[in-house]
């Protein structure tokens, strides 16, 4: 049976200083949770805003540039793996949202948050279930957050090769879990997540092994630190 779609959202606030907030990266085993807050400019509308998950990567990239160019204000907030482990992923997400809204160059008069709960903050706000598909400002925030995080994970693959971070973006795919169990746990992995704990017990910590060839030094392979136990 097809699910009944949510009706169009009607906001009680009717001004333009309306911030939409969304997050990406709660489920991955590695990398930060990233949030974004966006205040759209009614004088510069953006066509085609939608839930970032329903857009192609190419379309997200185009809209990302347009949002940064046309939005009245935008900001990105984040929590790193260490903070996630310390706070738990739920509290870390709320903190990242707070950081995103606090970073807006224009203070919002009202905030709409994708989901079913708002952080405890001083801004008047409202949670909107499926808001990334119902509220343009939240859609814009979802695009900014996703493109920001996806780009970072591609860059992190260069630092930690062999995990496939640029492809799965840190999510617990079979390829990622197998690499964790083989290569060990990197500093960007979330140690409070069970698959990472299991990999830590099995393979230990990741470390870079540097080798010098001629006059050049490069990072060769990344081994779990207990790989060479009992070789002395």
């Amino acid at each position: 049976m097809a699910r009944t779609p949510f009706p169009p959202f009607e906001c009680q606030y009717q001004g333009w200083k309306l911030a939409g907030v969304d997050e990406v990266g709660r489920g991955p085993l590695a990398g930060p949770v990233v949030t974004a807050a966006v205040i759209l400019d009614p004088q510069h509308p953006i066509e085609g805003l939608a839930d970032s998950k329903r857009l192609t990567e190419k379309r997200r990239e185009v809209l990302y540039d347009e949002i940064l160019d046309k939005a009245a204000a935008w900001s990105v907030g984040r929590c790193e793996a260490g903070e996630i482990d310390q706070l738990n992923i739920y509290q870390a997400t709320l903190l990242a949202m707070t950081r995103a809204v606090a970073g807006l160059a224009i203070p919002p008069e009202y905030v709409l948050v994708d989901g079913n709960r708002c952080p405890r903050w001083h801004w008047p706000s409202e949670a909107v279930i499926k808001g990334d598909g119902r509220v343009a400002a939240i859609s814009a925030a979802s695009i900014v957050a996703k493109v920001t995080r996806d780009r970072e994970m591609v860059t992190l693959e260069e630092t930690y090769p062999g995990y496939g971070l640029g492809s799965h973006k840190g999510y617990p795919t079979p390829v990622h879990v197998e690499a964790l169990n083989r290569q060990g746990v990197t500093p960007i992995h979330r140690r409070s997540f069970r698959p990472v704990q299991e990999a830590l017990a099995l393979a230990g910590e990741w470390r870079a092994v540097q080798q010098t060839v001629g006059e050049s030094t490069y990072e060769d392979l990344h081994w779990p630190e207990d790989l060479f136990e009992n070789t002395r």
Side-chain angles (χ1 to χ4, degrees):
M1 183 187 304
R3 294 183 179 180
T4 302
F6 284 92
F9 179 74
E10 296 183 7
C11 183
Q12 59 183 336
Y13 171 78
Q14 294 300 309
W16 69 270
K17 294 182 181 179
L18 172 71
V21 177
D22 202 1
E23 58 75 28
V24 65
R26 285 192 298 178
L29 304 179
V33 58
V34 175
T35 65
V38 176
I39 299 177
L40 295 174
D41 185 348
Q43 301 301 317
H44 297 89
I46 301 172
E47 297 294 330
L49 291 174
D51 176 6
S52 64
K53 296 184 292 294
R54 295 182 177 274
L55 299 170
T56 64
E57 181 179 358
K58 182 178 180 179
R59 184 60 181 152
R60 284 196 301 267
E61 291 282 348
V62 171
L63 285 170
Y64 173 88
D65 290 337
E66 190 172 359
I67 293 165
L68 267 55
D69 180 55
K70 292 183 176 180
W74 63 273
S75 174
V76 172
R78 56 192 292 130
C79 275
E80 305 296 340
E83 292 179 294
I84 293 170
D85 292 336
Q86 181 180 8
L87 299 172
N88 75 48
I89 185 58
Y90 174 70
Q91 293 298 333
T93 301
L94 297 182
L95 176 57
M97 288 181 174
T98 303
R99 289 170 173 170
V101 177
L104 287 168
I106 298 174
E109 294 178 349
Y110 203 77
V111 182
L112 296 178
V113 178
D114 183 55
N116 59 9
R117 187 172 298 182
C118 295
R120 293 182 179 179
W121 51 23
H122 65 273
W123 299 284
S125 57
E126 186 176 354
V128 184
I129 296 176
K130 299 294 182 182
D132 47 9
R134 301 169 67 196
V135 178
I138 297 179
S139 299
S142 75
I143 293 167
V144 172
K146 181 162 179 57
V147 172
T148 298
R149 188 179 188 280
D150 284 359
R151 288 179 176 179
E152 179 170 339
M153 297 309 292
V154 170
T155 300
L156 285 171
E157 183 171 15
E158 299 176 3
T159 304
Y160 305 106
Y163 293 88
L165 297 173
S167 299
H168 53 63
K169 307 301 188 290
Y171 283 88
T173 64
V175 169
H176 189 187
V177 173
E178 188 278 330
L180 262 176
N181 292 334
R182 173 170 42 84
Q183 298 190 168
V185 175
T186 75
I188 64 167
H189 279 96
R190 304 172 182 179
R191 284 159 170 73
S192 56
F193 284 40
R194 181 173 297 176
V196 179
Q197 294 173 350
E198 293 173 349
L200 194 60
L202 180 66
E205 298 274 359
W206 167 95
R207 69 177 180 181
V209 178
Q210 289 193 331
Q211 293 186 353
T212 301
V213 179
E215 297 181 354
S216 62
T217 300
Y218 63 92
E219 290 185 351
D220 181 32
L221 294 174
H222 303 263
W223 307 101
E225 63 181 8
D226 60 352
L227 184 63
F228 301 106
E229 285 183 346
N230 303 321
T231 61
R232 296 182 179 178

